[in-house]
Amino acid sequence: MVSRLIAAMLLGLVAWGTVALADPLRVLSWGGAYERAQRKALFDPFTEQTGLEVEVHQYDGGLDALRRAEAPWDVIDMTRSQAMAACQEGLLQPLPHDLPAPAPDGTPAERDFLPGAIGDCALTHSLFATVVAYRPDAFPGRRPSRIADLFDQERFPGPRALQRTPAVNLEWALLSYGVPREELYRLLSTPRGLRLALERLGELEETHWWEAGDESPRLLVEGEVVMASGYNGRFFDAVVNRGAPIEILWDAQVQEHETWAIPRHARHPEAAREFIRFATTTERQAELARHIPYGPARHSAAIRVSTHPGSGVDMRLHIPTHPLNAERAIEKDETWYAHTLARMDDYFEAWLATDGCLISVNEPCPSP
């Protein structure tokens, strides 16, 4: 009863109208093409409607910044696996489940959003994918068609760029052995599975490890690598807005929920909830998908996705959830990552520190 009363009071604050702020609403997001799309579809319209200025800060993911005693943000855009881990650590404020607005036709939010989108501490707004992109001019007469081609440097020679994280890289490495998708996380939960995945990654020659989301498209465009992992929206931006000579390999795309969350020490939690309610309406989600091809978390928004405002490209064909793109997709096991995030990150960094030679976190390979 008490929790229901608190939730009703929180929603009441939102319903009463805009919260007056003396300073801007601080949002932590991912920069680059993604932030530009958010600025046009979410931040500027929110300011126009409420009068509240939005100040955007950039990060590359992770929980280290949140663990600081006084993280200076009001809203954070974060992957669901990291939001789940942060929630378990008590780093985020709980969100009332009835915070999101109903669909335009009155459908309740819990029926309009994808299953699992409304969490205890985070609300999914989009689905993005980590994919592989490549330069067609690097492989005359042939094209990569399966994720195993990422690891085949005989048929597809040249340097690669991969994100500096165990996530996605481990899944792709096991898939290259022919491991079924439904067995990936069971096998990764064993020492043998983790060893096999890291061995496959270690076989790659000249790997560039990127961290910022706009780095992998840049490496491809500038010809420093011939294949690279990255976010599908960043590659789309490079192709459509900059004419980059790259193509996306949709095989084994790894889909993940992107969420809005409020840090435990947010200075303006009421305004943060007001922003999240605004940014997750059907209209705003559909508009965001017009600027960058991430799948809306609401059914009512997905059917409204239309064309890119600058090029006229049909955005429905470029979102990860389109049937043609999602045919062989992997849905990231975010619960598994939420429970293993710190351990897997430590193990992966230790593996990198030993130049790809590691028996266990505290036991590097013996010297020759």
Side-chain angles (χ1 to χ4, degrees), residues 279-292:
T280 56
T281 60
T282 296
E283 296 80 3
R284 290 301 101 201
Q285 285 200 349
E287 183 63 17
L288 180 64
R290 292 187 65 225
H291 292 274
I292 196 162

Side-chain angles (χ1 to χ4, degrees), residues 319-334:
I319 61 176
T321 49
H322 188 281
L324 292 177
N325 300 331
E327 184 178 1
R328 293 174 57 83
I330 300 168
E331 184 175 352
K332 185 177 179 181
D333 190 331
E334 294 159 330

Side-chain angles (χ1 to χ4, degrees), residues 165-177 179-201 254 330-334 336-337 339-341 343-344 347-348:
T165 174
V168 179
N169 292 320
L170 299 179
E171 289 92 326
W172 286 346
L174 290 186
L175 284 174
S176 73
Y177 290 109
V179 175
R181 286 178 293 174
E182 59 272 15
E183 293 293 321
L184 288 175
Y185 294 101
R186 183 195 64 77
L187 187 55
L188 281 176
S189 298
T190 69
R192 175 176 175 270
L194 189 55
R195 176 177 55 80
L196 285 172
L198 292 176
E199 283 180 356
R200 181 66 93 202
L201 289 169
V254 180
I330 300 168
E331 184 175 352
K332 185 177 179 181
D333 190 331
E334 294 159 330
W336 186 83
Y337 271 106
H339 288 117
T340 64
L341 186 63
R343 179 169 58 86
M344 296 301 292
Y347 197 105
F348 187 75

